[in-house]
Amino acid sequence: MATDFKSLPVIDISPLLLKCDDPDMAEDPGVIQVVQQLDRACRDAGFFYVIGHGISEDLIKKVREITREFFMLPYEEKLKIKMTPAAGYRGYQRIGENVTKGKPDIHEAIDCYREFKQGKYGDLGKAMEGPNQWPENPHEFKELMEEYLRLCTDLSRNILRGIALALGGSPYEFEGKIAGEPFWVMRLIGYPGAPFTNGKLENDVGCGAHTDYGLLTLVNQDEDKTALQVRNLGGDWISAIPIPGSFVCNIGDMLKILSNGLYESTLHRVINNSPLYRVCVAFFYETNFDAVVEPFDICKDKYPEGRGESQVFKRAVYGEHLVSKVQTNFAM
């Protein structure tokens, strides 16, 4: 039974990573312990910190630093990679152009998506076609981000092998037709410092309450500002206080469906109540773009009513879900 969490669990996944390519990983005591922790975190909170993930703290910091450098540039420079529908919704958006549930978010961002050949997904993928728009300034931006993307993709795949075991399947349950060719999204986000009014800090909503679309999210956030908030079952907002070198990890809508509602895609928001500018880099690991997502048979058999609900979750096509969100999330 899910509990009303007051803080997010911290999971050292290094035992899982040591055995993630071993077909017999499910029998390893260290892996079993990590799998149990992942299962509890996904049931109770849908959010957890990941440590022992193997990505260097130096690289994690560099990614935030170079992102901050870009956002400190003049608008004219940033608008060289302006996001438009014609650019496949890839590129830079100004403060207020991202909209959550009809309200402008107080952040600026660069959006990147996995690139694919024109026509690969037919009409389904047409809106998302096009190359990512990488800035020429700062130098080495593209090279650094592509290395980071590669590492985050591998890490996400391996965490999902542990989650697959937690659901009672094989380690490779998410691969093949579900996520053998995973789509990914990366958002490089800058939140202005909270403004002062009459000597008091105001709490601007940097990003309104929402759930993520895909399977798994890795959040790389500034270590000296607390802004990410997660809603628990009682409706309270719990702060995801930064832990240096960690990722905040959460599950998305597609994983909720695949687990037949057992795992929660939890509402979260961002309120930067610091006077300082905040940077966050969010990596979203998704299913195959054209995947038809419906509950795993193991979850329908093992958890026929999901989280105590009488319905089996409906199927969704990931690409349709993403495109519908993208086309309503930007004020253009």
Side-chain angles (χ1 to χ4, degrees):
M1 188 70 183
T3 60
D4 197 10
F5 63 91
K6 300 297 182 186
S7 62
L8 305 183
V10 180
I11 304 177
D12 181 348
I13 61 165
S14 54
L16 173 66
L17 299 185
L18 282 172
K19 297 288 184 177
C20 63
D21 292 322
D22 184 345
D24 299 322
M25 60 187 287
E27 298 167 19
D28 181 83
V31 171
I32 291 170
Q33 186 175 23
V34 173
V35 166
Q36 289 171 343
Q37 291 176 301
L38 287 170
D39 184 51
R40 179 51 57 197
C42 291
R43 287 171 185 255
D44 288 354
F47 267 81
F48 48 94
Y49 297 92
V50 164
I51 61 173
H53 48 68
I55 299 179
S56 79
E57 193 167 345
D58 183 54
L59 177 60
I60 289 171
K61 285 182 178 177
K62 278 183 180 175
V63 165
R64 291 199 307 270
E65 287 167 2
I66 202 167
T67 298
R68 192 185 318 277
E69 281 182 52
F70 173 82
F71 286 136
M72 293 304 106
L73 294 172
Y75 262 132
E76 312 84 71
E77 185 71 19
K78 292 185 280 191
L79 290 174
K80 289 179 180 178
I81 60 164
K82 178 175 171 56
M83 172 196 286
T84 63
Y89 295 93
R90 301 163 189 260
Y92 172 75
Q93 68 214 232
R94 299 176 70 154
I95 293 169
E97 285 187 334
N98 191 87
V99 176
T100 301
K101 295 182 179 174
K103 294 184 179 180
D105 293 319
I106 308 304
H107 71 247
E108 56 186 331
I110 302 175
D111 279 16
C112 316
Y113 301 91
R114 179 171 178 167
E115 296 177 4
F116 53 89
K117 290 182 179 179
Q118 188 173 352
K120 179 178 174 70
Y121 299 115
D123 289 342
L124 176 65
K126 196 166 185 58
M128 308 299 299
E129 288 179 352
N132 286 315
Q133 298 197 73
W134 299 110
E136 293 182 6
N137 183 18
H139 298 302
E140 300 179 359
F141 193 100
K142 179 182 179 182
E143 291 77 8
L144 185 69
M145 291 303 171
E146 288 183 338
E147 170 68 3
Y148 183 73
L149 284 164
R150 183 183 65 79
L151 293 170
C152 286
T153 300
D154 289 345
L155 174 60
S156 300
R157 181 186 301 110
N158 291 330
I159 294 172
L160 279 165
R161 287 182 177 178
I163 290 175
L165 291 172
L167 287 171
S170 84
Y172 315 110
E173 210 71 44
F174 290 98
E175 293 162 45
K177 66 178 182 178
I178 296 297
E181 191 181 2
F183 198 68
W184 54 256
V185 180
M186 185 169 69
R187 300 201 77 226
L188 312 168
I189 313 169
Y191 299 91
F196 275 96
T197 302
N198 298 324
K200 292 185 177 180
L201 279 174
E202 292 184 18
N203 287 340
D204 278 342
V205 178
C207 187
H210 65 284
T211 59
D212 291 345
Y213 315 151
L215 291 175
L216 198 70
T217 306
L218 301 177
V219 176
N220 172 4
Q221 58 178 343
D222 274 349
E223 296 171 358
D224 57 346
K225 307 167 196 78
T226 299
L228 175 61
Q229 300 177 354
V230 181
R231 198 173 80 172
N232 69 12
L233 294 175
D236 296 325
W237 290 99
I238 307 302
S239 290
I241 298 168
I243 297 177
S246 73
F247 289 106
V248 178
C249 191
N250 65 282
I251 65 176
D253 299 339
M254 296 300 108
L255 182 46
K256 179 172 182 172
I257 294 171
L258 288 162
S259 71
N260 202 23
L262 182 72
Y263 290 171
E264 192 55 69
S265 177
T266 308
L267 275 174
H268 51 287
R269 68 184 184 186
V270 176
I271 296 180
N272 184 19
N273 54 18
S274 163
L276 302 175
Y277 193 94
R278 174 181 181 265
V279 166
C280 169
V281 177
F283 172 81
F284 305 89
Y285 186 88
E286 319 287 79
T287 64
N288 299 347
F289 189 82
D290 57 353
V292 177
V293 180
E294 56 187 330
F296 285 135
D297 288 341
I298 51 170
C299 295
K300 286 190 285 190
D301 294 341
K302 196 173 179 182
Y303 312 107
E305 294 185 355
R307 189 184 283 265
E309 298 170 15
S310 59
Q311 63 166 10
V312 170
F313 279 79
K314 294 178 181 178
R315 64 166 51 189
V317 177
Y318 167 74
E320 290 178 359
H321 188 60
L322 175 67
V323 170
S324 70
K325 296 282 188 180
V326 165
Q327 290 181 333
T328 56
N329 273 11
F330 301 109
M332 294 183 178

